[in-house]
Amino acid sequence: MILERMPPRICSLFVHRAVLRQAHSSVPPQPVPPLLQTLQRYLTALEPLLPPDELQHTRKIVQKFGCPGGLGEKLQPELIKRAKHSHNWISDWWVQWAYLECRQPLAVHSNPAISLPKRDFTDWRGQLVFASKLIAGVLDFKAQVDSGKLALEYMRGQPLCMELFPQLFSSCRIPGPKHDHVVHYGRPRRGPAHITVVRNYQFFQLDVYNSDGTPLTESQIHAQLLRIRSQSWKTDKQPMGILTSEHRHTWGQAYTRLLRDKINKESVRLIEKSIFTLCLDSPVMRISDEKYSSRMAAQILHGGGTFSNSGNRWFDKTLQFVVGEDGSWGLLYEHATAEGPPISTLLDHVLEYCKKPDRVRAPLIPLPMPKKLYFYINSEIKWDLEMAKQNLDILINDLDIKCFNFQRFGKEFVKQLKLSPNSFIQVAIQLAYYRVHSEVCAACDIASLRMFRGGRTDYIRSPTNQMLSFIRAFDDDDAVSREAKVQLLREAVDAYSILTEQSLMGQGIDRHLLGLKLQAIEEGLSLPRIFMDTAYGLATHWKLRTGQVPTNTDSVMCFGPLAPDGYAVCYNPQQDHVHFSVTAFNCCEETNAEKLALTLERSLRDLQELFQPTV
């Protein structure tokens, strides 16, 4: 009865919290893996990377750390105690260490981008019609989240933690001098009712709910976007959003200067509080069909530079939808708050919503004019902007992106071989890297920990002894038969599948090792030798960062490499094809995104022909 008397938006929050509590009760806490198990698996993971003498040196250090009375035995019980008295024993630490304390720019280095299939419009009229539908689709998804009606997700029959979904909206990362923090404005009784729209570097506050709490219709949103377009003709505006692409320490200082002015502070707060940001991008130079997917992925990821659409971004914002005039569109998200799987669920919902006709016409109620956000730019801020422009253009010119669609086979072919598609693709990536660089390297794939309360991710370490044996044998046609290669491939795939299973079940090694390291720091102890060992530095210098982001669409995700001399490879397997993106930095002479991409295509073909020698 109490809920019935409450306004609908307040009532939905109570329902949502009740559903979240119910979901939490069905999702177990994340376990702390056994110490000796992690240490043994860590040594096994080092075997493909280290020569025998270095491995023996590291083995002694690890054994001393884990022996009875050793430092590991003192730290482990504290982690177990932390697990009993916290929501999740590692996630907050992980977010703080991996994201909020990282000082690299969010653009390229941190924020992932998803580029989706081109829509069937080629001018601003189609752009605004589609953007209106997209906004309505996101609000429809948010309504499901707020009301608790979003279907509980499962993996392998187990319920998944749904905590990240409400945090996607009305949240933003705030820069600081030493570390950042994330603010969530959607928690109070009446959360923000507006989004921000940016066009020609000009930001607007667009209220997307009526006074009774109902969302605007598509036609109402479209009418408001037309008004925004009419107010944003000027192209001589300073690209304030580029400030958010800076090194986090530099942006933190500029942020403090920016907010000294009352007008600036109000504008920034409205951007930060908004439900999400919509970026209406101007046309970009036409390009060949072959390079189109790579160019569009780059546009979503960083905006194309200071002379293109980079000023239409606010990289601190959790959700930024990008719609170009040429039919391109996608999503850029801030990683401290969001992960790939919830983002994929959101996008799948929006795409299904976009298939529906707009049956609701706009009520004959006059809507307030969208509010233009103004900035006062003094000489200090002007200098900050000029520096940010130069640095972003340098970063963008340094990034090499190659996207391609591998069309010879997809998930179905690999399943017919009774192999894991993800593990099979990982073998192909390792083979391609080995063919280019004649070595294996520290490489990590991402495993979701959403089977646990508050779980985020752990790494799956790709190089294994079985992987190394296979890739060394594969190109040796004289000494190794085809049958032997098939057997070695199956062993490599199975070994990787076992590592995947371990990580998904909360038994991975990397978050546990990080927890032990951070526990020692928290207790004021000297950093344990295991973490000062050169082997640990080598094993965590991720030259190859990979990620599978399976969706129901032909989308492709891309992100920058973790190491300056590394690559990032992202892939989306479909039934009969696989979308890939490969990135590297031009400043490193040893890496080349296009070369790795071409080698990866050839490696996938070679693996197929291993099972179909007559193809």
Side-chain angles (χ1 to χ4, degrees), residues 145-394:
V145 173
D146 289 346
S147 64
K149 293 179 181 177
L150 185 65
L152 190 61
E153 295 182 329
Y154 290 84
M155 182 168 64
R156 304 180 181 186
Q158 299 297 313
L160 299 180
C161 180
M162 304 292 283
E163 287 178 16
L164 285 182
F165 286 100
Q167 297 180 44
L168 297 177
F169 304 104
S170 302
S171 58
C172 193
R173 181 162 163 173
I174 309 297
K178 294 183 179 178
H179 61 82
D180 298 351
H181 67 279
V182 175
V183 289
H184 299 280
Y185 291 101
R187 292 177 179 171
R189 287 198 163 194
R190 187 169 179 84
H194 71 280
I195 68 170
T196 43
V197 179
V198 54
R199 179 178 180 270
N200 280 344
Y201 312 159
Q202 295 156 79
F203 288 81
F204 294 83
Q205 174 190 351
L206 172 57
D207 291 332
V208 289
Y209 292 98
N210 294 300
S211 57
D212 63 355
T214 58
L216 300 189
T217 64
E218 288 171 40
S219 51
Q220 283 179 308
I221 295 169
H222 182 251
Q224 294 294 71
L225 292 181
L226 286 170
R227 285 171 141 185
I228 287 173
R229 178 177 169 82
S230 69
Q231 290 186 75
S232 57
W233 282 113
K234 291 185 178 180
T235 57
D236 60 344
K237 298 296 181 181
Q238 285 289 349
M240 299 301 294
I242 285 181
L243 287 173
T244 65
S245 71
E246 267 284 25
H247 183 279
R248 301 308 292 175
H249 178 68
T250 306
W251 168 219
Q253 293 177 325
Y255 183 86
T256 301
R257 289 190 285 270
L258 187 66
L259 265 60
R260 287 176 188 153
D261 181 84
K262 186 178 178 181
I263 293 173
N264 294 341
K265 187 172 184 177
E266 181 186 3
S267 295
V268 170
R269 288 287 182 263
L270 285 168
I271 294 170
E272 293 170 349
K273 291 181 178 181
S274 64
I275 299 168
F276 59 89
T277 295
L278 172 70
C279 313
L280 295 174
D281 278 7
S282 301
V284 297
M285 186 175 64
R286 290 177 181 267
I287 199 165
S288 65
D289 291 343
E290 181 189 357
K291 295 182 178 179
Y292 178 82
S293 62
S294 301
R295 167 66 66 85
M296 286 307 102
Q299 275 291 316
I300 307 298
L301 186 65
H302 51 58
T306 57
F307 294 103
S308 189
N309 289 295
S310 292
N312 286 354
R313 305 286 183 271
W314 195 268
F315 290 99
D316 292 359
K317 196 71 187 140
T318 301
L319 290 179
Q320 294 188 90
F321 293 90
V322 180
V323 181
E325 285 190 22
D326 63 350
S328 62
W329 75 291
L331 169 66
L332 183 68
Y333 66 92
E334 199 285 305
H335 224 330
T337 305
E339 296 286 2
I343 293 293
S344 295
T345 302
L346 164 61
L347 285 173
D348 287 344
H349 181 93
V350 169
L351 283 161
E352 283 301 309
Y353 186 92
C354 287
K355 295 176 183 177
K356 301 175 183 177
D358 179 19
R359 296 191 182 94
V360 183
R361 304 308 301 168
L364 297 175
I365 303 171
L367 294 171
M369 182 71 76
K371 179 182 177 181
K372 190 169 186 174
L373 306 185
Y374 291 95
F375 292 92
Y376 170 69
I377 302 172
N378 60 23
S379 58
E380 281 186 307
I381 297 169
K382 183 78 168 69
W383 174 258
D384 292 334
L385 273 165
E386 291 307 313
M387 290 297 100
K389 289 179 190 177
Q390 290 181 30
N391 292 334
L392 180 60
D393 284 340
I394 291 169

Side-chain angles (χ1 to χ4, degrees), residues 92-107:
D92 287 347
W93 261 353
W94 164 249
V95 170
Q96 187 72 23
W97 179 83
Y99 300 122
L100 301 181
E101 290 182 2
C102 181
R103 302 287 80 194
Q104 292 274 59
L106 297 188

Side-chain angles (χ1 to χ4, degrees), residues 19-175:
V19 172
L20 268 183
R21 282 196 296 271
Q22 185 179 356
H24 288 167
S25 65
S26 61
V27 179
Q30 185 171 326
V32 180
L35 176 65
L36 295 183
Q37 171 187 287
T38 292
L39 296 180
Q40 182 53 54
R41 288 177 178 174
Y42 170 58
L43 287 172
T44 302
L46 290 176
E47 288 175 5
L49 302 175
L50 295 178
D53 56 334
E54 291 184 28
L55 185 64
Q56 184 59 29
H57 172 75
T58 295
R59 185 174 279 114
K60 291 177 182 177
I61 294 173
V62 172
Q63 287 172 347
K64 184 176 181 181
F65 179 77
C67 72
L71 188 51
E73 274 206 348
K74 296 175 183 176
L75 297 173
Q76 178 76 357
E78 295 303 313
L79 291 186
I80 295 172
K81 188 187 302 181
R82 179 182 171 89
K84 288 179 180 177
H85 297 97
S86 60
H87 188 64
N88 183 293
W89 67 272
I90 189 62
S91 286
D92 287 347
W93 261 353
W94 164 249
V95 170
Q96 187 72 23
W97 179 83
Y99 300 122
L100 301 181
E101 290 182 2
C102 181
R103 302 287 80 194
Q104 292 274 59
L106 297 188
V108 174
H109 289 287
S110 182
N111 290 6
I114 302 177
S115 178
L116 287 111
K118 190 177 180 184
R119 308 297 296 192
D120 59 352
F121 59 83
T122 56
D123 61 12
W124 67 266
R125 294 175 180 83
Q127 177 192 35
L128 296 192
V129 169
F130 174 68
S132 305
K133 193 137 195 129
L134 186 152
I135 292 169
V138 179
L139 294 179
D140 186 67
F141 183 81
K142 183 178 183 295
Q144 287 195 12
V145 173
D146 289 346
S147 64
K149 293 179 181 177
L150 185 65
L152 190 61
E153 295 182 329
Y154 290 84
M155 182 168 64
R156 304 180 181 186
Q158 299 297 313
L160 299 180
C161 180
M162 304 292 283
E163 287 178 16
L164 285 182
F165 286 100
Q167 297 180 44
L168 297 177
F169 304 104
S170 302
S171 58
C172 193
R173 181 162 163 173
I174 309 297

